[in-house]
């Protein structure tokens, strides 16, 4: 009987919400730290995705294109509206998934962590990483 009570208590503690803390939500609209764009993070299925909502830089006539994409067939896509994050899933205190930078045409592993109105985005290609901080918009 004593073993049953200990096992039941251990199972209850393991299943309690405090045992698995989800990261802060990152859904919403974010301004990039370099002032070049606004990005929307939104639910897409059971995970999160992100797309360029608006570019804040001067664009060529007809709009900025994804001209640095390694796939030549994708270089005529508009950057505004372009999906740049996908498969973002909660992992510990962060959201991890895949990302793409139209600025340099690189795909990377993305790690996004929000704290209040700030979000840190760390992108890594192989062992090379870059970290930026974005600000949540109202």
């Amino acid at each position: 009987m004593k073993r049953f009570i200990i096992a039941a208590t251990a199972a209850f503690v393991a299943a309690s919400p405090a045992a698995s803390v989800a990261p802060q939500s990152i859904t919403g609209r974010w301004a990039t730290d370099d002032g070049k764009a606004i990005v929307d993070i939104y639910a897409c299925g059971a995970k999160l995705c992100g797309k360029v909502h608006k570019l804040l830089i001067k664009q060529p006539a007809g709009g900025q294109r994804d001209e640095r994409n390694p796939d030549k067939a994708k270089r005529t896509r508009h950057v505004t509206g372009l999906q740049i994050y996908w498969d973002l899933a909660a992992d510990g205190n962060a959201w991890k998934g895949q990302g793409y930078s139209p600025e340099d045409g690189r795909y990377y592993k993305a790690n996004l962590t929000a704290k209040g109105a700030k979000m840190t985005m760390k992108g890594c290609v192989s062992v090379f990483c870059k970290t930026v901080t974005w600000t949540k918009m109202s």
Side-chain angles (χ1 to χ4, degrees):
M1 182 68 159
K2 190 174 184 180
R3 284 187 198 165
F4 173 77
I5 294 171
I6 292 171
T9 303
F12 176 78
V13 170
S16 70
S20 61
V21 177
Q24 178 181 327
S25 174
I26 59 171
T27 58
R29 191 159 285 167
W30 298 86
T32 62
D33 63 342
D34 60 8
K36 293 181 179 179
I38 297 171
V39 175
D40 287 333
I41 304 290
Y42 56 93
C44 56
K47 298 186 179 182
L48 299 179
C49 293
K51 68 179 178 179
V52 177
H53 171 74
K54 181 179 182 180
L55 289 176
L56 303 174
I57 58 172
K58 183 176 173 143
Q59 299 181 54
Q64 184 66 46
R65 305 293 177 147
D66 189 16
E67 56 197 27
R68 291 194 174 99
N69 195 300
D71 181 346
K72 290 181 182 181
K74 295 179 178 178
R75 291 182 181 170
T76 58
R77 300 185 303 179
H78 282 97
V79 172
T80 300
L82 185 65
Q83 184 174 351
I84 58 171
Y85 291 110
W86 57 96
D87 290 335
L88 294 171
D91 185 355
N93 68 341
W95 295 89
K96 295 182 181 179
Q98 300 299 312
Y100 170 71
S101 171
E103 194 167 27
D104 60 16
R106 292 181 190 228
Y107 290 87
Y108 56 88
K109 291 181 182 178
N111 184 325
L112 294 83
T113 307
K115 191 170 188 176
K118 297 288 185 181
M119 177 170 62
T120 302
M121 191 287 299
K122 181 179 179 181
C124 297
V125 177
S126 184
V127 297
F128 302 100
C129 299
K130 180 179 179 180
T131 303
V132 296
T133 301
W134 295 355
T135 304
K136 187 142 190 180
M137 300 183 71
S138 318

